[in-house]
Amino acid sequence: MLHLTGDIVVEVLNTCAMYRFDEPMIDDLVNAWERDSLYQKWHKASVENVKQFWSTQTDCIYWQSLPTDVYDNGYWLINGKSNLYYNCVARHAIQTPDKVAFINYYDDPSMRKTITYRELDILVKKVVYLLIQKGIQKGDVVAFFMPTRIISIASMLACAYIGALHMVVFSGFSADVLAQRIKDSNAKLLLTLPTIRRGGKEIDLVKTINEVSKKLADNMPEVLYMNDIPDVPNVSLNIEWLNNQDEAFILYTSGTSGKFKGVVHATLPYMLYVSSTFKNIFAPKPDDVYFCTSDIGWITGHSYLVYAPLFWGLTSVIFDGTPLYPTPERYWEIIEREKVNIFYTAPTAIRSLKTYGDEYVTKHNLSSLRVLGSVGEPINETAWNWYFHIVGQKRCPIIDTWWQTETGGFILAPLRNMSQQPCVAGRPFYGVNVSIIDNQLVINNAWPGKYKRILNQNGMYNSVYKSGDTAKLVNGEIKITGRIDDVINVSGHRLCTADFERVLSTMPEIIESATVAIPHEITGQTIVVFAVLASDTISTHEELNIKIQQQLRKSIGAIAKPHKIIYLDDLPKTTTGKIERHKLRELALNN
Ligand code: PRX
């Protein structure tokens, strides 16, 4: 076993200041033209010599064994050995033990809890002990059905400690979704809580878990309720030092074919990518308070709520409630009280909060804010303007970050302190060579954040990564305009029309169905379902509407709520039998 003494850790951290650029920071340059040309110069150099660029980004990682090469023939960080828990918790627990790692806000507005790096370290070790007791080893998959709370994050880090893969399922998803993902990933253990709260309502997770257990029968993993964690007896818990191919986690998302896919990330390149993108794009200062409103169930919650801010030893606010409960000023109250400097949220939240009027925002002192981030979907002009003028008081740049579960971290973002083009995701990150081919955004080269594999799928990847998003150039910057496939985006959640159609096909009353997405003021896109009924259906449309909604809620989750359900005698089809979705979309828009 390896003994890492405090001295070694402090020495490593001292060589690793927050900013270590050999050239001036882009922020330090006053002239916009100068900044732009510096970016162009750096970006060009970084994609021409990817290895050299990434080798400048590896020094802040604590390496158990230094990599002998940064990149070689499709592989990153050759012969390197490190650990995410160690970089995100252990070293800070030694260097800044009393610094607060997380300030947890809850759905219940009377609750607030903080945890320091030292306390987080102790909590992680308690969970590690529990996992080991349950026989979890390196490479095993641990499923999570937990909200965004300290205990959930400590448990993710406990997996990292021993090299187990976490597989987090958003706690608002249904028993069906949870069961499918547990089965597909062959999870050995399921971590959850007996109850959670959302929007003032208590949600009984035990009920959901019992349903999952019925569905999975013999394949049901052991369930651990994480509300009461015993102390660790005095034993030594070995950190698993991982190599460049060892995997960190699985996260499911909607694929183009309508089947969910388990995206797997490898630990070391993922750590390099999220730490570097976070530092360079958001440029946090050591004493900043950072607030990312994502849930841990999404990739944003993994990369920029758990791993990147902890890697840099920051203090983060996390929140397990909704922005509207009990009032639409939850976010603004929290920002004022905690003096948040960097705030990262989704356009759907901005649009929804805007409808309640400016006063909820302006009555709070938000002068601590310095950077405003956006993610999950294109930010439209009204939302951008409100975010910039009302929330940021024209003081804060809007950092619209474009990326995906598969990319691990930011691919596009605007430069800070540049004159801002509203609603434009901006420029490619250093070392990433992006172009637009047939309207589609593609990535031409390798970058460390790219997923390692898709679970249970074989096949080599093409050297060019196709994003599935359409894009165009606006004054030299990239604007994301939509999707090329049937993936839809409701409130920043990635769904697929085929998911809906599969669920509806299980209802005896429905012979055929098709789902289309239409634009929606608050949620970005919304779903309209078209259904053709069996001739012997006796239920009324009102009754069927309720049944369809219940079925979708049960099979997918509350986010799968159709905006409208339209009954047709037949679906419009081409002579070759393909559903004419553009006609349905027109019908949906005019109905
Ligand atoms: O369509 C793009 C949209 O969200 C998709 C990725 O979804 P997911 O893997 O769940 O990751 C979401 C968080 C990174 C993309 O293919 N998307 C994400 N961010 C933006 C965006 N569309 C436009 N602008 C963005 N900033």
Side-chain angles (χ1 to χ4, degrees):
M1 145 149 200
L2 256 154
H3 290 281
L4 287 153
T5 67
D7 294 348
I8 298 176
V9 179
V10 172
E11 197 187 296
V12 168
L13 273 175
N14 284 345
T15 61
C16 178
M18 197 77 152
Y19 301 114
R20 282 200 60 218
F21 284 96
D22 298 331
E23 299 188 62
M25 275 291 292
I26 285 194
D27 269 6
D28 297 337
L29 305 172
V30 255
N31 179 312
W33 178 84
E34 213 181 345
R35 274 188 219 116
D36 193 25
S37 63
L38 196 57
Y39 163 81
Q40 305 280 6
K41 189 177 122 195
W42 285 1
H43 186 261
K44 187 162 176 288
S46 72
V47 292
E48 278 170 6
N49 196 340
V50 170
K51 251 167 99 158
Q52 195 197 3
F53 170 71
W54 286 111
S55 66
T56 66
Q57 302 295 298
T58 56
D59 349 354
C60 292
I61 293 176
Y62 172 79
W63 294 103
Q64 175 64 11
S65 305
L66 275 172
T68 49
D69 201 352
V70 171
Y71 181 77
D72 185 32
N73 200 19
Y75 296 100
W76 293 95
L77 305 166
I78 317 298
N79 297 322
K81 270 189 189 298
S82 188
N83 179 290
L84 267 169
Y85 148 79
Y86 194 83
N87 279 276
C88 293
V89 186
R91 56 176 173 172
H92 306 305
I94 296 163
Q95 207 199 21
T96 51
D98 298 322
K99 185 168 179 182
V100 172
F102 289 112
I103 306 167
N104 205 162
Y105 277 84
Y106 300 81
D107 197 67
D108 177 348
S110 67
M111 281 172 65
R112 173 186 180 272
K113 211 164 143 183
T114 61
I115 191 164
T116 63
Y117 275 93
R118 183 203 324 220
E119 292 163 341
L120 181 62
D121 193 39
I122 294 169
L123 185 58
V124 171
K125 285 179 178 146
K126 285 187 186 177
V127 183
V128 167
Y129 184 69
L130 212 57
L131 296 180
I132 294 173
Q133 291 273 294
K134 296 295 169 190
I136 299 298
Q137 295 176 353
K138 177 179 167 187
D140 286 343
V141 177
V142 178
F144 283 59
F145 196 55
M146 297 182 80
T148 304
R149 291 192 192 162
I150 291 166
I151 182 60
S152 317
I153 295 172
S155 306
M156 291 165 78
L157 292 157
C159 288
Y161 195 113
I162 56 173
L165 284 71
H166 50 73
M167 190 281 285
V168 183
V169 178
F170 171 55
S171 56
F173 272 136
S174 65
D176 280 7
V177 171
L178 179 56
Q180 278 166 357
R181 294 178 183 190
I182 289 175
K183 197 166 162 207
D184 192 67
S185 66
N186 194 20
K188 296 247 160 47
L189 193 65
L190 170 59
L191 309 185
T192 189
L193 289 173
T195 54
I196 55 171
R197 262 178 60 139
R198 198 167 284 124
K201 285 189 221 107
E202 191 155 286
I203 304 164
D204 180 4
L205 293 190
V206 179
K207 212 173 123 215
T208 315
I209 302 301
N210 288 341
E211 270 179 63
V212 173
S213 174
K214 266 194 222 131
K215 283 178 206 293
L216 291 178
D218 290 348
N219 292 324
M220 181 69 183
E222 188 178 345
V223 182
L224 278 185
Y225 288 96
M226 303 299 285
N227 44 332
D228 191 16
I229 302 167
D231 283 337
V232 190
N234 199 5
V235 289
S236 132
L237 302 167
N238 290 353
I239 294 178
E240 199 62 58
W241 296 103
L242 302 178
N243 70 34
N244 68 334
Q245 288 296 297
D246 287 332
E247 295 168 349
F249 63 85
I250 303 167
L251 188 62
Y252 282 87
T253 188
S254 294
T256 308
S257 62
K259 190 164 157 28
F260 58 89
K261 57 176 185 180
V263 176
V264 184
H265 281 280
T267 305
L268 305 189
Y270 173 79
M271 171 157 49
L272 172 62
Y273 198 69
V274 298
S275 60
S276 170
T277 46
F278 188 75
K279 178 184 69 174
N280 287 291
I281 300 294
F282 282 159
K285 300 187 168 132
D287 291 328
D288 272 354
V289 177
Y290 166 72
F291 181 11
C292 169
T293 66
S294 175
D295 188 280
I296 52 162
W298 319 117
I299 189 70
T300 309
H302 283 55
S303 302
Y304 299 112
L305 183 141
V306 176
Y307 291 115
L310 286 178
F311 181 96
W312 292 108
L314 287 188
T315 298
S316 291
V317 173
I318 57 172
F319 176 41
D320 79 353
T322 76
L324 300 179
Y325 178 83
T327 67
E329 59 192 304
R330 237 17 242 288
Y331 285 172
W332 322 126
E333 274 167 0
I334 296 174
I335 293 171
E336 179 172 23
R337 176 160 177 200
E338 304 302 341
K339 299 194 172 49
V340 170
N341 307 102
I342 306 176
F343 179 58
Y344 190 29
T345 194
T348 183
I350 299 163
R351 287 192 298 265
S352 148
L353 291 167
K354 179 180 177 295
T355 61
Y356 294 87
D358 300 355
E359 216 171 283
Y360 281 116
V361 185
T362 52
K363 74 184 199 204
H364 293 284
N365 177 357
L366 306 186
S367 59
S368 57
L369 287 174
R370 196 178 68 243
V371 175
L372 297 175
S374 171
V375 63
E377 57 185 305
I379 178 164
N380 60 319
E381 205 159 330
T382 352
W384 195 97
N385 280 326
W386 193 72
Y387 203 23
F388 184 71
H389 289 100
I390 306 299
V391 179
Q393 298 287 309
K394 298 191 230 170
R395 214 184 46 248
C396 312
I398 308 290
I399 306 296
D400 179 5
T401 59
W402 178 90
W403 56 296
Q404 305 175 308
T405 307
E406 294 88 334
T407 72
F410 308 150
I411 295 290
L412 303 178
L415 292 182
R416 280 164 290 116
N417 292 1
M418 289 282 295
S419 53
Q420 290 240 301
Q421 277 203 83
C423 316
V424 170
R427 296 155 193 265
F429 188 64
Y430 301 112
V432 187
N433 180 351
V434 160
S435 54
I436 300 172
I437 296 174
D438 295 336
N439 298 324
Q440 187 179 183
L441 186 80
V442 302
I443 305 173
N444 302 305
N445 66 345
W447 73 100
K450 185 177 180 180
Y451 66 100
K452 182 185 157 197
R453 65 186 176 112
I454 302 294
L455 207 63
N456 305 325
Q457 271 183 31
N458 298 324
M460 286 301 289
Y461 308 109
N462 300 327
S463 53
V464 172
Y465 173 76
K466 296 194 171 108
S467 71
D469 279 34
T470 53
K472 64 178 184 192
L473 270 182
V474 181
N475 302 326
E477 294 189 303
I478 299 168
K479 181 177 170 68
I480 301 292
T481 49
R483 288 286 300 186
I484 55 155
D485 52 19
D486 54 359
V487 169
I488 53 180
N489 195 321
V490 180
S491 299
H493 301 319
R494 192 165 143 186
L495 300 166
C496 187
T497 52
D499 292 334
F500 290 77
E501 291 156 17
R502 197 178 41 239
V503 171
L504 297 177
S505 71
T506 62
M507 292 179 63
E509 296 90 342
I510 295 176
I511 319 180
E512 203 177 12
S513 73
T515 310
V516 297
I518 57 169
H520 186 269
E521 230 176 280
I522 308 286
T523 58
Q525 287 188 311
T526 189
I527 299 142
V528 177
V529 166
F530 290 90
V532 178
L533 297 180
S535 55
D536 56 356
T537 304
I538 42 172
S539 312
T540 64
H541 285 181
E542 284 71 29
E543 287 166 346
L544 278 169
N545 285 349
I546 295 171
K547 259 194 185 175
I548 289 174
Q549 285 186 357
Q550 280 171 345
Q551 190 65 31
L552 288 171
R553 192 188 173 91
K554 184 171 163 290
S555 303
I556 303 176
I559 46 178
K561 188 168 186 274
H563 180 68
K564 240 183 257 173
I565 300 166
I566 299 173
Y567 297 95
L568 297 178
D569 292 339
D570 279 307
L571 295 178
K573 288 189 181 150
T574 61
T575 44
T576 54
K578 274 195 149 191
I579 298 172
E580 293 179 293
R581 286 177 191 273
H582 64 280
K583 285 198 180 154
L584 290 176
R585 214 165 287 129
E586 247 166 64
L587 209 61
L589 285 169
N590 298 325
N591 217 281

